Structures are given as C-alpha cells and as structure tokens.
C-alpha cells in the first residue's frame, strides 16, 4: 500500500517543526544601563513642548475620530486599562 499525499504532507510538517528553531526565541535581557538621552537636533529645530497630562476621569468616554476618504473611523479608548496610552493620544490630539 502506497502512502497517500496527506501522509507525506503530515510527515513533512512534523519533520519541519522538529528541525526549525522555536517560533519565538528567547531574547537577550537588556543591560541595567540607563538609556542614553536624546541630543538636541543639529538642524536647530525647537524641541516639542511637553504634552498635557489628563486625569483618568477626564479620559473616560473619550473617542477619537479619523476622517478618511472612505468615511469616518471612530476609536474607542479604555483609560482604565491603558491610561498612559490614552493620555498620550489625547495630548497629541490637543496639541495638534
């Protein structure tokens, strides 16, 4: 009895999974050195002003609307789950 095509495919997949390295290899841990601070731009451009900081209560119910040629995209934010991200987005939107 000859092996079917499905049998060969199964064996190829099993062999391939055994031979390959893991899908998500372990990365090296970062050193305990602090990150370097960014230097001023050589072009003489002024640094951007700091973003405003909002309270979590102010961010509740906040929505972002992206207007595209295909219509609007409404973004819903979750400040209780990701307060820093919502604060950053709101700060960028406010400063323009």
């Amino acid at each position: 009895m000859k092996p079917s095509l499905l049998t060969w495919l199964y064996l190829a997949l099993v062999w391939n999974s055994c031979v390959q390295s893991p899908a998500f290899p372990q990365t090296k841990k970062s050193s305990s050195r602090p990150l370097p601070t960014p230097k001023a731009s050589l072009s003489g451009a002024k640094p951007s002003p700091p973003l405003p900081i909002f309270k979590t209560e102010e961010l509740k119910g906040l929505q972002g609307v992206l207007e595209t040629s295909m219509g609007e995209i409404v973004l819903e934010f979750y400040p209780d789950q990701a307060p820093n991200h919502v604060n950053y987005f709101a700060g960028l939107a406010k400063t323009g």
Side-chain angles (χ1 to χ4, degrees):
M1 178 181 237
K2 288 185 175 181
S4 67
L5 179 62
L6 289 176
T7 306
W8 287 111
L9 287 174
Y10 176 76
L11 290 173
L13 287 172
V14 170
W15 174 260
N16 194 23
S17 65
C18 292
V19 173
Q20 284 186 343
S21 61
F24 299 102
Q26 295 293 325
T27 57
K28 293 181 181 178
K29 291 185 178 182
S30 61
S31 64
S32 60
R33 295 183 298 174
L35 295 174
T37 56
K39 295 182 179 178
S41 172
L42 297 178
S43 64
K46 295 180 182 177
S48 60
L51 297 175
I53 298 174
F54 300 97
K55 295 180 181 176
T56 307
E57 294 81 26
E58 295 175 310
L59 298 174
K60 288 188 178 181
L62 185 69
Q63 289 184 335
V65 179
L66 301 176
E67 296 176 359
T68 69
S69 60
M70 299 294 288
E72 292 182 345
I73 300 172
V74 179
L75 305 173
E76 187 176 347
F77 299 108
Y78 299 98
D80 53 331
Q81 295 178 4
N84 292 338
H85 295 287
V86 177
N87 191 31
Y88 186 72
F89 188 93
L92 288 176
K94 187 171 184 174
T95 58

